[in-house]
Every structure is written in structure tokens, then in C-alpha cells.
Amino acid sequence: MEQHFILHWIHKHKKRLVMVTREILLIEDNEDDVLLTKRALKKQNITNKLIVAKNGREGLDYLLGKNGELKFLPALILLDLNLPIMGGIDVLAALQQYGKPVHCPIIVLTTSDNEKDIALSYQLGAHSYVQKPMDLTQFIKLIEYLGTYWLALNKPYPAAVAGVPDI
């Protein structure tokens, strides 16, 4: 009986269902940074699947799909600001205009130390703003720290409160 209720609920609300995943969405166009991020996560034994979007539009399509409905909710979003097609600030603005909170950490990971970029990123919903170090060893350490904090130590927003059924 309970299974029938769950299947009915899913069918009735399937357009509003959000798939909560333990994936990391990396929105980054620099292939070297992508490879370093993969290497750092592996070194830290962080086994979450890494989804890479090469520009902001691709990242939004992954999250919202083509119809603008929240489709996937990764465990973590790492967002560069300097992207082709659609920049990171535009991604944050689009997520804010979505009208519903996106309950996963959005970490801006960029080379910019511009105070306007920092302020605007926070105003548009970023949870953290981190400047990429130029030193490779420091970059790897940074990814290890971010992964450890946001994926292991931080308690995520409860799926039940976010309206996602606990099936």
C-alpha cells in the first residue's frame, strides 16, 4: 500500500521532483583547472562523480534543464566567473531569478580578486568566494580543503525540508 502511495505521489508531482545527487558540478572552461580539480579530489579520496560544464549555459542546462525547472541538485557547485558564452555572475543571477532557493553550496572559484565580483557573487547567492592560487600545489590543497569542508564536514540542507520526498 505504501509503495502505491509513493508511486502515485511521484506521478502526481514528477514535474516538480528534483533529483538530489552527491555529484559535484564544476563549471569551468580551463582544462588544466579541471584536471587539477579531478586530481585533488582523487588524492583526497573524494569519490563523488564530477560533472564538468565548460560554460555557464551548459551548467544551467544541467541544473535546470531546457524547460527551466530544477532538475538536478548536486552536493556542491564549483563556479568560475570568467567563462565563455555565459559568465559565472550571470549563472548566479539566473539561479536567483529562478525564484526558488537552490539548496546546495555554490562556491565561486576564480582568479578574480575584484571587490565588485566578490560583493556581487555573495549578493547573488554564492556561499563562498575563493581566489584560485597560481601555485599548483596550493591549488590542489585548496580543492582538498573545499572538498573536505563542503562534502564531509558541512551538513547539507535537509532534502525533506526542500520538498524532495524521502523515498
Side-chain angles (χ1 to χ4, degrees):
M1 184 71 168
E2 185 176 319
Q3 184 179 16
H4 175 72
F5 172 77
I6 291 170
L7 291 174
H8 175 72
W9 191 95
I10 290 172
H11 179 70
K12 183 178 174 186
H13 300 284
K14 69 181 176 184
K15 290 192 178 202
R16 292 185 289 148
L17 272 181
V18 175
M19 185 175 163
V20 178
T21 68
R22 295 300 301 160
E23 296 169 342
I24 299 168
L25 175 58
L26 174 62
I27 306 175
E28 172 63 68
D29 64 319
N30 183 313
E31 193 59 40
D32 290 336
D33 288 348
V34 171
L35 292 172
L36 284 172
T37 301
K38 287 179 181 180
R39 181 175 155 196
L41 292 171
K42 185 176 181 180
K43 184 177 178 193
Q44 194 63 22
N45 293 320
I46 297 171
T47 59
N48 301 60
K49 181 177 178 183
L50 184 67
I51 305 295
V52 178
K54 300 286 184 189
N55 61 66
R57 170 60 34 212
E58 198 175 303
L60 277 180
D61 286 348
Y62 173 80
L63 290 167
L64 303 179
K66 301 292 183 186
N67 64 358
E69 286 291 322
L70 189 61
K71 188 170 84 170
F72 290 99
L73 191 61
L76 179 66
I77 299 172
L78 298 174
L79 175 64
D80 188 16
L81 290 187
N82 305 310
L83 297 164
I85 301 175
M86 178 183 225
I89 294 292
D90 294 328
V91 170
L92 291 169
L95 289 173
Q96 191 174 60
Q97 289 175 356
Y98 170 64
K100 298 175 191 167
V102 176
H103 294 294
C104 74
I106 302 171
I107 313 308
V108 172
L109 184 60
T110 186
T111 55
S112 172
D113 65 350
N114 182 308
E115 287 188 8
K116 288 182 182 178
D117 287 343
I118 297 168
L120 195 51
S121 294
Y122 280 117
Q123 289 168 6
L124 292 172
H127 296 91
S128 184
Y129 189 103
V130 181
Q131 188 178 10
K132 291 179 192 174
M134 294 303 185
D135 178 71
L136 297 179
T137 304
Q138 291 301 315
F139 182 83
I140 290 172
K141 277 283 184 215
L142 173 66
I143 296 299
E144 290 173 5
Y145 294 149
L146 289 174
T148 299
Y149 176 76
W150 288 105
L151 298 171
L153 299 174
N154 183 59
K155 297 290 184 203
Y157 193 86
V161 177
V164 179
D166 185 19
I167 299 174

